Amino acid sequence: MDLSPIWLTLKLAAITTLILLLIGLPLAWWLSKKRSLAKIVIEAIITMPLVLPPSVLGFYLLLAFSPQHGLGHWLQQTFDVQFVFSFKGLVLASVIYSMPFMISPVKSAFQQLPASLSQASYTLGKTQWQTFWHVLLPNIKPSLLTATVLTFAHTLGEFGVVLMIGGNIPGVTRVASIAVYDSVEQRDYASANNYSLILFAITFVMVLSVFIYNKYQAKSPLE
């Protein structure tokens, strides 16, 4: 059994989750503040991967970043960067497709925090960023862990969007979900079952661990 699709999938999920932690946390914090039309539009765009078929999103990413079209052509000519049929393309597609799984739980957690937390921090002379890192984030640990695990687990199972923009190149873009599909197409059900069991085991352990952690975090001292 070739384990390279599993390792490639884990690598993709780890990089995607790290990128979304870096850009998703500040964005979720900003979206959790006072509402405006611009924020509503941005939030709607971020949520679109939840309702769009993955193949539709992958198709438009393929068009946008194809070397034969505007943006993709400009990137290749200017920076010699090609996203289509490359691992970089998988990362780009995964970040966009998994973004709501990171931002939505974190944004909701920020909105549930009492305003007095931030006000007390500002009274003590802390800046907005100091308040964000040292006051707000420590108070949303369960939601942050949930968002991180959901993002990682969701990336493990991506199929349509990564197939559209990355294709099926062994060692480069052939992730585990595509390996499962290939195995079924070739009627190699044993390999398909092995890949599926590994993905199931990884995601089940991760999700179960989050539920257990959140359960103990939610317990009061009297319980």
Side-chain angles (χ1 to χ4, degrees):
M1 178 182 173
D2 180 15
L3 290 178
S4 61
I6 298 294
W7 295 119
L8 188 65
T9 302
L10 292 173
K11 177 183 175 182
L12 175 63
I15 294 174
T16 299
T17 304
L18 178 60
I19 292 174
L20 283 174
L21 279 170
L22 293 175
I23 66 176
L25 295 184
L27 182 56
W29 179 44
W30 179 71
L31 290 172
S32 69
K33 295 182 178 182
K34 292 181 180 179
R35 308 288 286 173
S36 67
L37 180 59
K39 289 183 180 180
I40 293 174
V41 172
I42 292 173
E43 194 169 349
I45 293 173
I46 291 172
T47 307
M48 287 302 290
L50 291 176
V51 294
L52 274 178
S55 55
V56 172
L57 179 62
F59 171 71
Y60 283 116
L61 288 174
L62 180 63
L63 287 183
F65 292 99
S66 170
Q68 284 75 43
H69 293 84
L71 180 58
H73 180 75
W74 177 77
L75 286 172
Q76 188 170 40
Q77 293 296 319
T78 307
F79 302 104
D80 194 26
V81 172
Q82 179 175 326
F83 285 102
V84 174
F85 305 126
S86 69
F87 184 76
K88 293 188 291 291
L90 295 190
V91 173
L92 173 67
S94 297
V95 166
I96 294 173
Y97 190 52
S98 294
M99 189 173 290
F101 290 87
M102 175 65 72
I103 290 181
S104 295
V106 175
K107 180 180 74 71
S108 298
F110 279 135
Q111 289 175 331
Q112 292 171 11
L113 292 177
S116 57
L117 274 178
S118 299
Q119 293 168 357
S121 179
Y122 298 148
T123 301
L124 293 173
K126 302 295 184 182
T127 65
Q128 281 196 346
W129 280 109
Q130 287 174 327
T131 300
F132 172 73
W133 288 110
H134 301 296
V135 178
L136 300 182
L137 279 184
N139 280 281
I140 63 164
K141 283 182 181 178
S143 296
L144 182 56
L145 177 62
T146 299
T148 301
V149 170
L150 285 178
T151 300
F152 189 94
H154 181 257
T155 306
L156 292 180
E158 289 175 359
F159 176 73
V161 66
V162 296
L163 180 62
M164 291 294 288
I165 195 170
N168 184 7
I169 306 173
V172 180
T173 63
R174 188 174 185 258
V175 294
S177 57
I178 296 176
V180 172
Y181 178 79
D182 277 350
S183 298
V184 172
E185 285 283 292
Q186 297 166 14
R187 297 188 179 181
D188 183 1
Y189 298 120
S191 294
N193 181 59
N194 290 334
Y195 287 125
S196 300
L197 280 177
I198 292 174
L199 289 179
F200 178 84
I202 294 172
T203 53
F204 179 76
V205 169
M206 292 181 67
V207 173
L208 181 63
S209 300
V210 169
F211 285 157
I212 293 174
Y213 174 81
N214 288 343
K215 175 180 173 61
Y216 282 100
Q217 282 289 106
K219 279 188 174 183
S220 67
L222 296 178
E223 291 181 332

